[in-house]
Structures are given as C-alpha cells and as structure tokens.
Amino acid sequence: FNPLIYIVFVLLLPMDTPHAALLMAGLAMGLAMDFAMGAAGVNTIATLFVAFVRPWVLGLFTGRDDAREGGVPSPERMGRRKFVHYLLVAVLLHHTLFFSLEALSMSHLPHTLLRIAVSSACSVVFIWLIARVFTAKFPVRV
C-alpha cells in the first residue's frame, strides 16, 4: 500500500498546457519526490513518462476540440466516468512503471502486480478527492 498521489500535479494541469511545459512540470515533480524519498530517479522516470503520454491519454477521453479549448480536467468538465477512466489509465501507467523499476526483477511478479493494483486503487481514490476539492468551484470551461 503506497499511494503516490503527487502525480495529481501533472494530471490536473490545464488541457492546453504546451507539451514542453508538461515535461518540465513532470521533471520538477519527479526530481522533488526523488529528493524527498531518497530514490534514485524512479519517481522522475515514472512522472516524466506520465507527463509525456498525458496528451494522448486525455485524447482518449476528450475530443480534440475540448483539449484545444483548454480548461482543467475535472469531473464536471469531462464527465465523472471519463474523468475516472482518465485518472485510472494515467495512474496505472505511472504505478506500473514505478513499481516495475523499483522491483527490477521478475521473480517477485505477483507481489509487484499486487502492489500496482492496490496502490493504484488507493491513489485514484485520493486523487479523485483532491480533484473534487480543488476543481469544485471552477466553471465548466475554466
């Protein structure tokens, strides 16, 4: 059980954020978490990966016109089901890479898969709550 909710910083950036800015935000957040946790770049790699694929993950659940208009991804803006799916895919990608790099072995695959599943479920719940708190007052098109 290791909820990694710091990726909410990258996931809740406005949809029209330039790709270079997403990567810089992912790099900064990953480095800060690696420094705080004493990790050797695992957070940076996983967070940069999520920042890199975020436009495509958002594109799966929103139209291109919605992404171009901008706005902060939120349950009100995207719809609850699409927002949860967006969170779930992004968190699963992050956690799969994070825990795979942390384990660096296939000998503990069942344990790693369990850690990915449990931590992803907890992270999605916490990120959902954070998104509800911080995007509740936004109008739909902000």
Side-chain angles (χ1 to χ4, degrees):
F1 173 71
N2 188 9
L4 303 169
I5 59 171
Y6 62 88
I7 61 170
V8 73
F9 175 73
V10 174
L11 297 179
L12 293 185
L13 287 173
M15 288 190 227
D16 58 350
T17 303
H19 204 223
L22 277 173
L23 292 174
M24 293 305 290
L27 177 67
M29 182 55 63
L31 286 173
M33 290 308 299
D34 278 333
F35 181 72
M37 294 173 68
V42 177
N43 290 296
T44 302
I45 293 169
T47 307
L48 265 175
F49 178 69
V50 168
F52 182 75
V53 299
R54 180 182 177 257
W56 292 287
V57 174
L58 264 173
L60 290 173
F61 303 109
T62 63
R64 289 203 183 270
D65 294 334
D66 287 339
R68 262 190 245 121
E69 284 181 21
V72 174
S74 67
E76 289 78 21
R77 173 124 171 83
M78 297 173 65
R80 290 178 189 214
R81 176 172 279 163
K82 287 182 180 180
F83 185 70
V84 169
H85 288 145
Y86 161 65
L87 290 181
L88 191 60
V89 168
V91 168
L92 275 173
L93 287 171
H94 177 271
H95 284 35
T96 300
L97 185 56
F98 179 86
F99 288 116
S100 297
L101 289 173
E102 190 178 65
L104 279 181
S105 172
M106 291 298 243
S107 62
H108 303 290
L109 186 62
H111 183 255
T112 303
L113 291 175
L114 180 65
R115 290 181 70 194
I116 291 169
V118 172
S119 295
S120 294
C122 294
S123 294
V124 167
V125 169
F126 286 134
I127 291 172
W128 167 265
L129 293 173
I130 290 168
R132 294 291 299 160
V133 168
F134 287 104
T135 64
K137 300 289 183 187
F138 285 169
V140 174
R141 292 289 177 194
V142 169

